[in-house]
């Protein structure tokens, strides 16, 4: 699969979040080289602490594929998933998560924690990090700089 191609789609989702005043994180779920669902952060819009891009994309993929078992699906995310999202990634049995920017304050796919590769859990997920990292990081930097100003 072309990781850069799908990460660029996730970046477009992140831009939708930024345009709505949300932290710019986007996600794209891909199965057999086809996008099955997308999501972007909507915590403020929905006033829902679980409305992360990853959760919305996972939920969307489950509806489209009519199953909670997302074997074969790769999730592309602009920011390393947090513990909640990493838990959902494991629970949904995703094969792989590909992320752009590492999250040094809460990343749960290898930076602060490595929930998706824990021997204590019943499923492990392949991780690919750093795809389109500069662009993903810049979106976040620009967003938070704008808030400070």
């Amino acid at each position: 699969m072309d990781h850069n191609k799908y990460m660029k789609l996730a970046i477009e989702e992140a831009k939708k979040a930024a345009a709505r005043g949300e932290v710019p994180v986007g996600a794209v779920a891909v199965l057999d080289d086809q996008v099955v669902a997308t999501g972007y952060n909507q915590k403020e819009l929905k006033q829902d602490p679980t409305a992360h891009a990853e959760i919305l994309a996972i939920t969307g993929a489950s509806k489209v594929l009519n199953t909670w078992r997302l074997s074969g699906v790769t999730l592309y995310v602009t920011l390393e998933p947090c513990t909640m999202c990493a838990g959902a990634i494991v629970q949904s049995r995703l094969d792989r998560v590909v992320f752009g920017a590492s999250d040094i304050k809460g990343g749960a796919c290898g930076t602060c924690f490595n929930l998706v590769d824990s021997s204590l859990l019943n499923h492990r997920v392949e991780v690919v990090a750093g795809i389109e990292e500069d662009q993903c990081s810049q979106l976040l930097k620009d967003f938070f700089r704008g808030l400070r100003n």
Side-chain angles (χ1 to χ4, degrees), residues 94-138:
L94 287 166
D95 280 6
R96 178 182 308 108
V97 63
V98 179
F99 67 84
S102 295
D103 184 352
I104 61 169
K105 294 184 178 180
C109 294
T111 300
C112 295
F113 310 98
N114 199 355
L115 198 61
V116 296
D117 193 33
S118 173
S119 63
L120 300 173
L121 301 176
N122 63 338
H123 180 72
R124 292 194 182 123
V125 181
E126 177 188 346
V127 174
V128 178
I131 304 298
E132 300 290 335
E133 182 175 12
D134 291 342
Q135 192 172 359
C136 293
S137 294
Q138 194 61 51

Side-chain angles (χ1 to χ4, degrees), residues 23-89:
V23 175
V25 178
V28 175
V30 177
L31 176 65
D32 297 330
D33 215 25
Q34 298 291 317
V35 174
V36 293
T38 62
Y40 60 87
N41 272 358
Q42 296 183 42
K43 284 173 53 174
E44 298 298 332
L45 175 69
K46 295 183 180 230
Q47 289 299 295
D48 178 352
T50 68
H52 288 202
E54 301 95 322
I55 300 295
L56 298 174
I58 288 168
T59 300
S62 292
K63 286 180 183 174
V64 167
L65 299 173
N66 197 33
T67 182
W68 64 267
R69 290 179 186 90
L70 299 180
S71 298
V73 173
T74 297
L75 185 67
Y76 291 86
V77 189
T78 57
L79 179 64
E80 181 180 0
C82 68
T83 54
M84 175 183 68
C85 293
I89 288 165

